[in-house]
Amino acid sequence: RNQEFVLFYQPVIDLRSRRLSGAEALIRWRHPTRGLVPPDSFIPLAEKTGLVVEISLLMLDTACAQLQTWQTQGLDYTLSLNVSGRQIPDGLSPATLHEVVSRYGITPDKLALEITEGVMLRDIDKSLAWVNAVHALGFRVYLDDFGTGYSSLSYLKMFPVDTLKVDKSFVKDMKDDGNEFTLVGAIIAMGRSLGLDIVAEGVELESHLLALQRMGCHYAQGYYFSPPVPAQEFEAVAARVTTLLAPPAP
Ligand code: C2E
Ligand code: CA
Ligand code: CA
């Protein structure tokens, strides 16, 4: 009601074209006295009380308005939103999703929905029906935090997931010859063999970026490029990322 919830945007880089492909939208609470409150401090409570449904609908509107702004600026970005278990299947119905993107003149393929394995497995039948329905409408579905849960291949095959997000805990700790390096390489190889796109999150160092490129990872996201930033700073960040990715002058 007080409009204290805002979205921050963290750039996602396409490693093949070396260009910015879009962003992940991450919620923040601009509290009048506490300052900027991170999601881990209030999303679990919002999930418990059910308020997460209402908050997320507000954020869906904000995200679509941002996509519309980018579109009018000629920027063909994709935006991904985090979906919690409480929203599936009725809190964020396929019909609502469709109605909201249409209202903003956005095609569903510009919006990705990030869900974790834990969310999918809460009620397999309901979540399978939901994922199938949103996928059929043209929305992208990303499997978030991959590697931290069951990392089940049979569920991966069952759900029409487009993209795997390798959990940041493995990526940020990658050092040559370490276990994390082997794990990330294996997840990328497995995902690719299933025909999935791979996003690595938690890319903090140039060495991570170079390793991921060698491993055939498609997209990267992390502090090496930029932390999540408010919308008004995104353009400046985009320009910096583009320079960072430009091949060195001959
Ligand atoms: P997540 O979906 O795994 O989001 C990635 C988190 O990693 C973000 O934390 C991001 O700031 C952080 N991060 C990004 N790059 C790096 C890096 O290079 N290194 C490290 N160590 N961390 C990095 P954030 O924004 O605090 O969000 C935390 C979690 O809160 C998210 O994890 C997500 O599960 C949840 N969340 C955020 N926004 C929403 C939302 O709108 N709805 C729902 N349901 N959950 C949200
Ligand atoms: Ca996420
Ligand atoms: Ca994640």
Side-chain angles (χ1 to χ4, degrees):
R1 247 179 256 131
N2 298 345
Q3 308 208 324
E4 289 169 13
F5 291 117
V6 291
L7 284 182
F8 273 36
Y9 301 89
Q10 184 175 35
V12 176
I13 286 85
D14 184 334
L15 297 179
R16 290 160 296 187
S17 63
R18 302 177 74 90
R19 293 170 77 137
L20 197 72
S21 77
E24 176 176 3
L26 294 152
I27 195 170
R28 303 286 182 263
W29 181 2
R30 271 197 208 282
H31 193 281
T33 54
R34 290 196 199 176
L36 206 58
V37 183
D40 289 335
S41 313
F42 64 89
I43 287 289
L45 182 62
E47 280 173 347
K48 218 158 139 189
T49 61
L51 264 178
V52 72
V53 169
E54 211 177 320
I55 295 171
S56 299
L57 285 173
L58 282 171
M59 294 305 107
L60 173 65
D61 248 70
T62 309
C64 289
Q66 187 59 52
L67 275 170
Q68 189 187 46
T69 303
W70 283 332
Q71 197 164 288
T72 52
Q73 292 170 349
L75 300 166
D76 188 30
Y77 294 155
T78 303
L79 192 55
S80 67
L81 272 183
N82 293 284
V83 176
S84 69
R86 271 310 257 282
Q87 297 174 264
I88 296 174
D90 302 323
L92 184 67
S93 71
T96 302
L97 276 166
H98 184 72
E99 186 272 314
V100 177
V101 292
S102 310
R103 181 147 44 83
Y104 284 95
I106 293 153
T107 54
D109 63 316
K110 293 290 155 231
L111 195 66
L113 303 160
E114 299 196 359
I115 56 177
T116 61
E117 231 176 353
V119 167
M120 280 188 182
L121 300 182
R122 261 168 53 117
D123 183 330
I124 294 185
D125 293 336
K126 280 190 179 145
S127 40
L128 188 57
W130 185 89
V131 171
N132 276 324
V134 298
H135 197 254
L137 287 170
F139 295 96
R140 306 268 183 240
V141 179
Y142 293 3
L143 191 54
D144 204 0
D145 302 345
F146 194 77
T148 56
Y150 299 97
S151 310
S152 163
L153 298 182
S154 52
Y155 291 124
L156 262 184
K157 279 189 72 179
M158 195 199 290
F159 284 86
V161 166
D162 303 282
T163 299
L164 276 192
K165 292 194 80 167
V166 186
D167 191 68
K168 56 182 176 298
S169 62
F170 306 112
V171 178
K172 71 183 178 56
D173 290 337
M174 269 199 303
K175 293 176 214 80
D176 279 303
D177 302 326
N179 279 337
E180 285 78 12
F181 191 85
T182 314
L183 267 171
V184 171
I187 293 173
I188 292 171
M190 180 208 68
R192 286 184 62 108
S193 67
L194 288 170
L196 301 170
D197 276 349
I198 318 287
V199 182
E201 55 177 32
V203 179
E204 296 185 351
L205 302 171
E206 189 182 28
S207 62
H208 298 159
L209 172 65
L210 297 175
L212 290 163
Q213 279 174 314
R214 270 202 310 277
M215 293 170 180
C217 185
H218 304 99
Y219 298 94
Q221 175 185 350
Y223 297 160
Y224 175 66
F225 301 105
S226 166
V229 296
Q232 60 273 22
E233 283 170 37
F234 195 77
E235 210 177 317
V237 165
R240 220 194 45 210
V241 167
T242 314
T243 327
L244 204 63
L245 289 168

Coordinates of all heavy atoms in Angstrom, one line a residue, residues 82-162:
N82 N 11.2 -14.5 -9.8 CA 11.1 -15.7 -8.9 C 9.7 -16.0 -8.5 O 9.0 -15.1 -8.1 CB 12.0 -15.4 -7.7 CG 13.5 -15.3 -8.1 OD1 14.1 -16.3 -8.3 ND2 14.0 -14.0 -8.2
V83 N 9.4 -17.2 -8.5 CA 8.0 -17.7 -8.1 C 8.1 -18.6 -6.9 O 9.0 -19.5 -6.9 CB 7.4 -18.5 -9.3 CG1 6.0 -19.0 -8.9 CG2 7.2 -17.5 -10.5
S84 N 7.3 -18.3 -5.9 CA 7.4 -19.2 -4.7 C 6.2 -20.2 -4.7 O 5.2 -20.0 -5.4 CB 7.4 -18.3 -3.4 OG 6.2 -17.7 -3.2
G85 N 6.4 -21.2 -3.9 CA 5.4 -22.3 -3.8 C 4.0 -21.8 -3.6 O 3.0 -22.4 -4.2
R86 N 3.8 -20.8 -2.8 CA 2.5 -20.3 -2.5 C 1.7 -19.8 -3.7 O 0.5 -19.7 -3.7 CB 2.6 -19.2 -1.5 CG 2.6 -19.5 0.0 CD 1.4 -20.5 0.3 NE 0.3 -19.9 1.0 CZ 0.2 -19.6 2.3 NH1 1.1 -19.7 3.1 NH2 -1.0 -19.2 2.8
Q87 N 2.4 -19.5 -4.7 CA 1.8 -18.9 -5.9 C 1.3 -19.9 -6.9 O 0.6 -19.6 -7.9 CB 2.8 -18.0 -6.7 CG 3.3 -16.8 -5.8 CD 4.3 -16.0 -6.5 OE1 5.5 -16.2 -6.3 NE2 3.9 -15.2 -7.5
I88 N 1.7 -21.2 -6.7 CA 1.3 -22.2 -7.6 C 0.3 -23.2 -7.0 O 0.5 -23.6 -5.9 CB 2.6 -23.1 -8.0 CG1 3.5 -22.1 -8.8 CG2 2.2 -24.2 -8.9 CD1 4.9 -22.8 -9.1
P89 N -0.8 -23.4 -7.7 CA -1.2 -23.0 -9.0 C -2.1 -21.8 -9.1 O -2.1 -21.2 -10.2 CB -2.0 -24.3 -9.5 CG -2.7 -24.8 -8.3 CD -1.8 -24.5 -7.2
D90 N -2.7 -21.4 -8.0 CA -3.8 -20.4 -8.2 C -3.3 -18.9 -7.9 O -4.0 -18.0 -8.4 CB -5.0 -20.7 -7.3 CG -5.5 -22.1 -7.6 OD1 -5.5 -22.4 -8.8 OD2 -5.9 -22.8 -6.7
G91 N -2.3 -18.7 -7.1 CA -1.8 -17.4 -6.7 C -1.3 -16.6 -7.9 O -1.3 -15.4 -7.9
L92 N -0.8 -17.4 -8.9 CA -0.2 -16.7 -10.1 C -0.7 -17.6 -11.2 O 0.1 -18.4 -11.8 CB 1.3 -16.7 -10.0 CG 2.0 -16.0 -11.2 CD1 1.7 -14.5 -11.2 CD2 3.5 -16.2 -11.1
S93 N -2.0 -17.5 -11.6 CA -2.6 -18.5 -12.5 C -2.0 -18.1 -13.9 O -1.7 -17.0 -14.2 CB -4.1 -18.4 -12.5 OG -4.5 -17.2 -13.1
P94 N -2.0 -19.1 -14.8 CA -1.6 -18.9 -16.2 C -2.4 -17.8 -16.8 O -1.9 -17.0 -17.6 CB -1.8 -20.3 -16.8 CG -1.6 -21.3 -15.7 CD -2.2 -20.6 -14.5
A95 N -3.7 -17.8 -16.5 CA -4.6 -16.8 -17.1 C -4.2 -15.4 -16.6 O -4.2 -14.4 -17.5 CB -6.1 -17.1 -16.7
T96 N -3.9 -15.2 -15.4 CA -3.4 -13.9 -14.8 C -2.2 -13.5 -15.6 O -2.0 -12.3 -16.0 CB -3.2 -14.0 -13.3 OG1 -4.4 -14.4 -12.7 CG2 -2.7 -12.6 -12.8
L97 N -1.2 -14.4 -15.6 CA 0.1 -14.1 -16.3 C -0.2 -13.6 -17.7 O 0.3 -12.5 -18.2 CB 0.9 -15.3 -16.4 CG 1.8 -15.6 -15.2 CD1 2.3 -17.0 -15.2 CD2 2.9 -14.6 -15.1
H98 N -1.1 -14.3 -18.4 CA -1.4 -13.9 -19.8 C -2.0 -12.6 -19.9 O -1.7 -11.7 -20.7 CB -2.3 -15.0 -20.4 CG -2.6 -14.8 -21.8 ND1 -1.7 -14.9 -22.8 CD2 -3.7 -14.3 -22.5 CE1 -2.2 -14.6 -24.0 NE2 -3.4 -14.3 -23.8
E99 N -3.0 -12.3 -18.9 CA -3.7 -11.0 -18.9 C -2.7 -9.9 -18.7 O -2.8 -8.9 -19.4 CB -4.8 -11.1 -17.9 CG -5.8 -9.9 -17.8 CD -5.2 -8.8 -16.9 OE1 -4.8 -9.1 -15.8 OE2 -5.3 -7.6 -17.4
V100 N -1.8 -10.0 -17.7 CA -0.9 -8.9 -17.4 C 0.0 -8.6 -18.5 O 0.2 -7.5 -18.9 CB -0.2 -9.2 -16.1 CG1 0.8 -8.1 -15.7 CG2 -1.2 -9.4 -14.9
V101 N 0.7 -9.6 -19.1 CA 1.6 -9.3 -20.2 C 0.9 -8.7 -21.4 O 1.4 -7.7 -22.0 CB 2.5 -10.5 -20.7 CG1 3.5 -10.9 -19.6 CG2 1.7 -11.7 -21.2
S102 N -0.3 -9.2 -21.7 CA -1.1 -8.6 -22.8 C -1.4 -7.1 -22.5 O -1.3 -6.3 -23.4 CB -2.4 -9.3 -23.0 OG -2.2 -10.7 -23.0
R103 N -1.7 -6.8 -21.3 CA -2.0 -5.4 -20.9 C -0.9 -4.5 -21.2 O -1.0 -3.3 -21.5 CB -2.5 -5.4 -19.4 CG -2.9 -4.0 -18.9 CD -3.9 -4.1 -17.8 NE -3.8 -5.2 -16.8 CZ -3.0 -5.0 -15.8 NH1 -2.3 -3.9 -15.6 NH2 -2.9 -6.0 -14.9
Y104 N 0.4 -5.0 -21.1 CA 1.5 -4.2 -21.3 C 2.1 -4.3 -22.7 O 3.2 -3.8 -23.0 CB 2.6 -4.5 -20.2 CG 2.3 -3.9 -18.9 CD1 1.7 -4.7 -17.9 CD2 2.7 -2.6 -18.6 CE1 1.4 -4.2 -16.7 CE2 2.4 -2.1 -17.3 CZ 1.7 -2.8 -16.4 OH 1.5 -2.3 -15.2
G105 N 1.4 -5.1 -23.5 CA 1.9 -5.3 -24.9 C 3.2 -6.0 -25.0 O 4.0 -5.8 -25.9
I106 N 3.4 -7.0 -24.1 CA 4.6 -7.8 -24.1 C 4.3 -9.2 -24.5 O 3.3 -9.8 -24.2 CB 5.2 -7.8 -22.7 CG1 5.7 -6.4 -22.3 CG2 6.4 -8.8 -22.6 CD1 5.6 -6.2 -20.8
T107 N 5.2 -9.8 -25.3 CA 5.0 -11.2 -25.6 C 5.5 -12.1 -24.5 O 6.6 -11.7 -23.9 CB 5.7 -11.6 -27.0 OG1 7.1 -11.2 -26.9 CG2 5.0 -10.8 -28.1
P108 N 4.9 -13.2 -24.2 CA 5.2 -14.0 -23.1 C 6.7 -14.5 -23.1 O 7.3 -14.8 -22.1 CB 4.3 -15.2 -23.2 CG 3.1 -14.8 -24.0 CD 3.6 -13.7 -24.9
D109 N 7.3 -14.6 -24.3 CA 8.6 -15.2 -24.4 C 9.7 -14.2 -23.8 O 10.8 -14.6 -23.6 CB 9.0 -15.5 -25.8 CG 9.0 -14.3 -26.7 OD1 8.1 -13.5 -26.6 OD2 10.0 -14.1 -27.5
K110 N 9.2 -13.0 -23.4 CA 10.2 -12.0 -22.8 C 10.2 -12.2 -21.3 O 11.0 -11.6 -20.6 CB 9.7 -10.6 -23.1 CG 9.8 -10.2 -24.5 CD 11.3 -10.1 -24.9 CE 11.6 -10.4 -26.4 NZ 12.6 -11.3 -26.6
L111 N 9.3 -13.0 -20.7 CA 9.2 -13.2 -19.3 C 9.5 -14.6 -18.9 O 8.9 -15.6 -19.5 CB 7.8 -12.8 -18.8 CG 7.6 -12.6 -17.3 CD1 8.4 -11.4 -16.8 CD2 6.1 -12.5 -16.9
A112 N 10.5 -14.8 -18.0 CA 10.8 -16.1 -17.5 C 10.4 -16.3 -16.1 O 10.5 -15.3 -15.3 CB 12.3 -16.3 -17.7
L113 N 9.9 -17.4 -15.7 CA 9.5 -17.7 -14.4 C 10.5 -18.7 -13.7 O 10.7 -19.8 -14.3 CB 8.1 -18.3 -14.4 CG 7.2 -17.3 -15.1 CD1 5.9 -18.0 -15.5 CD2 6.8 -16.1 -14.2
E114 N 11.1 -18.2 -12.6 CA 12.1 -19.1 -12.0 C 11.5 -19.8 -10.8 O 11.0 -19.2 -9.9 CB 13.3 -18.2 -11.5 CG 14.0 -17.4 -12.5 CD 15.4 -16.9 -12.1 OE1 15.8 -17.1 -10.9 OE2 16.0 -16.3 -12.9
I115 N 11.6 -21.2 -10.9 CA 11.1 -21.9 -9.8 C 12.2 -22.9 -9.4 O 13.0 -23.3 -10.1 CB 9.8 -22.7 -10.1 CG1 9.9 -23.6 -11.3 CG2 8.6 -21.7 -10.3 CD1 8.6 -24.4 -11.6
T116 N 12.1 -23.3 -8.1 CA 13.1 -24.3 -7.6 C 12.5 -25.7 -7.6 O 11.3 -25.8 -7.7 CB 13.5 -24.0 -6.1 OG1 12.4 -24.0 -5.3 CG2 14.1 -22.6 -6.0
E117 N 13.4 -26.6 -7.5 CA 12.9 -28.0 -7.5 C 11.9 -28.2 -6.3 O 10.9 -28.9 -6.4 CB 14.1 -28.9 -7.2 CG 14.3 -30.0 -8.2 CD 15.6 -30.8 -7.9 OE1 16.4 -30.3 -7.1 OE2 15.7 -31.8 -8.6
G118 N 12.3 -27.6 -5.2 CA 11.5 -27.7 -4.0 C 10.0 -27.3 -4.2 O 9.1 -27.9 -3.8
V119 N 9.9 -26.2 -5.0 CA 8.5 -25.7 -5.3 C 7.8 -26.7 -6.2 O 6.6 -27.0 -6.1 CB 8.7 -24.3 -6.0 CG1 7.4 -23.9 -6.7 CG2 9.1 -23.3 -5.0
M120 N 8.6 -27.2 -7.2 CA 8.0 -28.2 -8.1 C 7.5 -29.4 -7.4 O 6.4 -30.0 -7.8 CB 9.0 -28.7 -9.2 CG 9.2 -27.7 -10.3 SD 10.3 -28.5 -11.5 CE 10.5 -27.3 -12.7
L121 N 8.2 -29.8 -6.4 CA 7.9 -31.1 -5.7 C 6.9 -31.0 -4.6 O 6.5 -32.0 -4.0 CB 9.2 -31.8 -5.2 CG 10.3 -32.1 -6.3 CD1 11.5 -32.8 -5.7 CD2 9.7 -32.9 -7.4
R122 N 6.5 -29.8 -4.3 CA 5.5 -29.6 -3.2 C 4.2 -30.4 -3.5 O 3.7 -31.1 -2.7 CB 5.1 -28.1 -3.1 CG 5.8 -27.4 -2.0 CD 5.6 -25.9 -2.1 NE 4.2 -25.5 -2.2 CZ 3.6 -24.8 -1.3 NH1 4.2 -24.3 -0.3 NH2 2.3 -24.4 -1.5
D123 N 3.8 -30.3 -4.7 CA 2.6 -31.0 -5.2 C 2.8 -31.2 -6.7 O 2.5 -30.4 -7.5 CB 1.3 -30.2 -4.9 CG 0.1 -31.0 -5.3 OD1 0.2 -31.9 -6.3 OD2 -1.0 -30.8 -4.7
I124 N 3.4 -32.4 -7.0 CA 3.9 -32.6 -8.4 C 2.8 -32.5 -9.4 O 3.0 -31.8 -10.4 CB 4.5 -34.0 -8.5 CG1 5.8 -34.0 -7.6 CG2 4.9 -34.3 -9.9 CD1 6.6 -35.3 -7.7
D125 N 1.6 -33.0 -9.1 CA 0.5 -32.9 -10.1 C 0.1 -31.5 -10.4 O 0.0 -31.1 -11.6 CB -0.7 -33.7 -9.7 CG -0.4 -35.2 -9.6 OD1 0.6 -35.6 -10.4 OD2 -1.0 -36.0 -8.9
K126 N -0.1 -30.7 -9.3 CA -0.5 -29.3 -9.5 C 0.6 -28.5 -10.2 O 0.3 -27.7 -11.1 CB -0.8 -28.7 -8.1 CG -2.2 -29.1 -7.7 CD -2.6 -28.3 -6.5 CE -4.0 -28.7 -6.0 NZ -4.2 -28.6 -4.6
S127 N 1.9 -28.7 -9.7 CA 2.9 -27.9 -10.3 C 3.2 -28.3 -11.8 O 3.5 -27.5 -12.6 CB 4.2 -27.8 -9.5 OG 4.5 -29.1 -9.0
L128 N 3.0 -29.6 -12.1 CA 3.2 -30.0 -13.5 C 2.2 -29.4 -14.4 O 2.5 -28.9 -15.5 CB 3.1 -31.6 -13.5 CG 3.5 -32.2 -14.9 CD1 4.9 -31.8 -15.3 CD2 3.4 -33.7 -14.8
A129 N 0.9 -29.4 -13.9 CA -0.2 -28.8 -14.7 C 0.1 -27.3 -14.9 O -0.1 -26.7 -16.0 CB -1.5 -29.0 -14.0
W130 N 0.6 -26.6 -13.8 CA 0.9 -25.2 -13.9 C 2.0 -24.9 -14.9 O 1.9 -24.0 -15.8 CB 1.2 -24.6 -12.5 CG 1.4 -23.1 -12.4 CD1 0.5 -22.2 -12.2 CD2 2.7 -22.4 -12.6 NE1 1.0 -20.9 -12.2 CE2 2.4 -21.0 -12.4 CE3 4.0 -22.8 -12.8 CZ2 3.4 -20.1 -12.5 CZ3 5.0 -21.8 -12.9 CH2 4.6 -20.5 -12.7
V131 N 3.1 -25.6 -14.7 CA 4.3 -25.4 -15.6 C 3.9 -25.7 -17.1 O 4.2 -24.9 -18.0 CB 5.5 -26.3 -15.2 CG1 6.6 -26.2 -16.2 CG2 6.0 -25.9 -13.8
N132 N 3.1 -26.8 -17.3 CA 2.7 -27.1 -18.6 C 1.9 -26.0 -19.2 O 2.0 -25.6 -20.4 CB 1.9 -28.4 -18.7 CG 2.8 -29.6 -18.7 OD1 3.8 -29.6 -19.4 ND2 2.4 -30.7 -18.0
A133 N 1.0 -25.4 -18.4 CA 0.1 -24.4 -18.9 C 0.8 -23.1 -19.2 O 0.6 -22.5 -20.3 CB -1.0 -24.1 -17.9
V134 N 1.7 -22.6 -18.3 CA 2.4 -21.4 -18.6 C 3.4 -21.6 -19.8 O 3.6 -20.7 -20.6 CB 3.2 -20.8 -17.4 CG1 2.2 -20.5 -16.2 CG2 4.3 -21.7 -16.9
H135 N 4.0 -22.8 -19.9 CA 4.9 -23.0 -21.0 C 4.1 -23.0 -22.3 O 4.6 -22.5 -23.3 CB 5.6 -24.4 -20.7 CG 6.8 -24.6 -21.6 ND1 6.8 -25.4 -22.7 CD2 8.0 -24.0 -21.5 CE1 8.0 -25.3 -23.2 NE2 8.7 -24.5 -22.5
A136 N 2.9 -23.6 -22.3 CA 2.1 -23.6 -23.5 C 1.7 -22.2 -23.9 O 1.5 -21.9 -25.1 CB 0.9 -24.5 -23.3
L137 N 1.6 -21.3 -23.0 CA 1.3 -19.9 -23.3 C 2.5 -19.1 -23.9 O 2.4 -18.0 -24.3 CB 0.7 -19.1 -22.1 CG -0.7 -19.5 -21.6 CD1 -1.0 -18.9 -20.2 CD2 -1.7 -19.0 -22.6
G138 N 3.7 -19.7 -23.8 CA 4.9 -19.1 -24.3 C 5.8 -18.5 -23.3 O 6.9 -18.0 -23.7
F139 N 5.5 -18.6 -22.0 CA 6.4 -18.1 -21.0 C 7.6 -19.1 -20.9 O 7.4 -20.3 -21.1 CB 5.7 -18.0 -19.6 CG 4.6 -17.0 -19.6 CD1 3.3 -17.3 -19.8 CD2 4.9 -15.6 -19.5 CE1 2.3 -16.4 -19.8 CE2 4.0 -14.7 -19.5 CZ 2.6 -15.0 -19.7
R140 N 8.8 -18.6 -20.5 CA 9.9 -19.4 -20.3 C 9.9 -19.9 -18.8 O 9.5 -19.2 -17.9 CB 11.2 -18.7 -20.5 CG 11.3 -18.0 -21.9 CD 12.0 -18.9 -22.9 NE 12.1 -18.3 -24.1 CZ 11.5 -18.7 -25.3 NH1 10.8 -19.8 -25.3 NH2 11.7 -18.1 -26.4
V141 N 10.4 -21.1 -18.6 CA 10.5 -21.6 -17.3 C 11.9 -22.0 -16.9 O 12.5 -22.8 -17.7 CB 9.5 -22.9 -17.1 CG1 9.6 -23.4 -15.7 CG2 8.1 -22.5 -17.4
Y142 N 12.4 -21.4 -15.9 CA 13.8 -21.7 -15.5 C 13.8 -22.5 -14.2 O 13.0 -22.2 -13.3 CB 14.6 -20.4 -15.2 CG 14.9 -19.5 -16.3 CD1 14.4 -19.8 -17.6 CD2 15.6 -18.3 -16.1 CE1 14.7 -18.9 -18.7 CE2 15.9 -17.5 -17.1 CZ 15.4 -17.7 -18.4 OH 15.7 -16.9 -19.4
L143 N 14.7 -23.5 -14.1 CA 14.8 -24.2 -12.8 C 16.0 -23.6 -12.0 O 17.1 -23.6 -12.4 CB 15.1 -25.7 -13.1 CG 15.0 -26.6 -11.9 CD1 13.7 -26.5 -11.2 CD2 15.2 -28.1 -12.3
D144 N 15.6 -22.9 -10.9 CA 16.5 -22.1 -10.1 C 17.3 -23.0 -9.1 O 16.9 -24.1 -8.7 CB 15.7 -21.1 -9.3 CG 16.5 -19.8 -9.0 OD1 17.7 -19.8 -9.3 OD2 16.0 -18.9 -8.4
D145 N 18.5 -22.5 -8.7 CA 19.3 -23.1 -7.6 C 19.6 -24.6 -7.9 O 19.7 -25.4 -7.0 CB 18.6 -23.0 -6.3 CG 18.3 -21.6 -5.9 OD1 18.8 -20.7 -6.5 OD2 17.4 -21.4 -4.9
F146 N 19.8 -24.9 -9.2 CA 20.1 -26.3 -9.5 C 21.4 -26.8 -8.9 O 22.4 -26.1 -8.9 CB 20.1 -26.5 -11.0 CG 20.0 -28.0 -11.4 CD1 18.8 -28.7 -11.3 CD2 21.1 -28.7 -11.8 CE1 18.7 -30.0 -11.6 CE2 21.0 -30.1 -12.1 CZ 19.8 -30.7 -12.0
G147 N 21.3 -28.0 -8.4 CA 22.5 -28.6 -7.7 C 22.4 -28.6 -6.2 O 23.1 -29.4 -5.5
T148 N 21.4 -27.8 -5.6 CA 21.3 -27.8 -4.2 C 20.3 -28.8 -3.7 O 20.3 -29.2 -2.5 CB 20.9 -26.4 -3.7 OG1 19.6 -26.0 -4.3 CG2 21.9 -25.4 -4.0
G149 N 19.3 -29.2 -4.5 CA 18.2 -30.1 -4.0 C 18.5 -31.5 -4.5 O 19.6 -32.0 -4.4
Y150 N 17.5 -32.1 -5.0 CA 17.6 -33.5 -5.4 C 18.4 -33.6 -6.8 O 18.9 -34.6 -7.1 CB 16.2 -34.2 -5.6 CG 15.4 -34.2 -4.3 CD1 14.5 -33.2 -4.0 CD2 15.6 -35.2 -3.4 CE1 13.8 -33.3 -2.9 CE2 14.9 -35.3 -2.3 CZ 14.0 -34.3 -2.0 OH 13.3 -34.4 -0.8
S151 N 18.3 -32.5 -7.5 CA 18.9 -32.4 -8.8 C 18.5 -33.6 -9.7 O 19.3 -34.3 -10.3 CB 20.4 -32.3 -8.8 OG 20.8 -31.3 -7.9
S152 N 17.2 -33.9 -9.6 CA 16.7 -35.1 -10.2 C 16.5 -35.0 -11.7 O 15.8 -34.1 -12.2 CB 15.3 -35.5 -9.6 OG 14.6 -36.4 -10.3
L153 N 17.1 -36.0 -12.4 CA 17.0 -36.0 -13.9 C 15.7 -36.4 -14.3 O 15.2 -35.9 -15.4 CB 18.1 -36.9 -14.4 CG 19.5 -36.6 -14.1 CD1 20.4 -37.6 -14.8 CD2 19.9 -35.2 -14.6
S154 N 15.0 -37.2 -13.6 CA 13.7 -37.7 -14.0 C 12.7 -36.5 -14.0 O 11.8 -36.4 -14.9 CB 13.2 -38.9 -13.2 OG 13.2 -38.5 -11.8
Y155 N 12.8 -35.6 -13.0 CA 11.9 -34.5 -12.9 C 12.2 -33.5 -14.0 O 11.3 -32.9 -14.6 CB 11.9 -33.8 -11.6 CG 11.3 -34.6 -10.5 CD1 12.0 -35.0 -9.4 CD2 10.0 -35.1 -10.7 CE1 11.4 -35.8 -8.4 CE2 9.4 -35.9 -9.7 CZ 10.1 -36.3 -8.6 OH 9.6 -37.1 -7.6
L156 N 13.5 -33.4 -14.3 CA 13.9 -32.5 -15.4 C 13.3 -32.9 -16.7 O 12.9 -32.1 -17.5 CB 15.4 -32.6 -15.6 CG 16.2 -31.5 -14.9 CD1 17.7 -31.7 -15.3 CD2 15.7 -30.1 -15.3
K157 N 13.2 -34.2 -16.9 CA 12.6 -34.7 -18.1 C 11.1 -34.5 -18.1 O 10.4 -34.3 -19.2 CB 12.9 -36.2 -18.3 CG 14.3 -36.3 -18.9 CD 14.6 -37.8 -19.3 CE 13.9 -38.2 -20.5 NZ 14.2 -39.6 -20.9
M158 N 10.5 -34.6 -16.9 CA 9.0 -34.6 -16.8 C 8.5 -33.1 -17.0 O 7.4 -32.9 -17.6 CB 8.6 -35.1 -15.4 CG 7.2 -35.4 -15.3 SD 6.7 -35.5 -13.5 CE 7.5 -36.9 -12.9
F159 N 9.2 -32.1 -16.5 CA 8.7 -30.7 -16.6 C 9.3 -30.1 -17.8 O 10.5 -30.2 -18.1 CB 9.2 -30.0 -15.3 CG 8.4 -30.3 -14.1 CD1 8.8 -31.4 -13.3 CD2 7.4 -29.5 -13.7 CE1 8.1 -31.7 -12.1 CE2 6.6 -29.8 -12.6 CZ 7.0 -30.9 -11.8
P160 N 8.5 -29.3 -18.5 CA 9.0 -28.6 -19.7 C 9.8 -27.4 -19.3 O 9.4 -26.2 -19.5 CB 7.7 -28.2 -20.5 CG 6.7 -28.1 -19.4 CD 7.1 -29.0 -18.3
V161 N 11.0 -27.6 -18.8 CA 11.9 -26.6 -18.3 C 12.8 -26.2 -19.5 O 13.2 -27.0 -20.3 CB 12.8 -27.1 -17.1 CG1 13.9 -26.2 -16.9 CG2 11.9 -27.3 -15.9
D162 N 13.0 -24.8 -19.7 CA 13.8 -24.4 -20.8 C 15.3 -24.2 -20.4 O 16.2 -24.4 -21.2 CB 13.4 -23.0 -21.3 CG 11.9 -23.0 -21.7 OD1 11.6 -23.5 -22.7 OD2 11.1 -22.6 -20.8

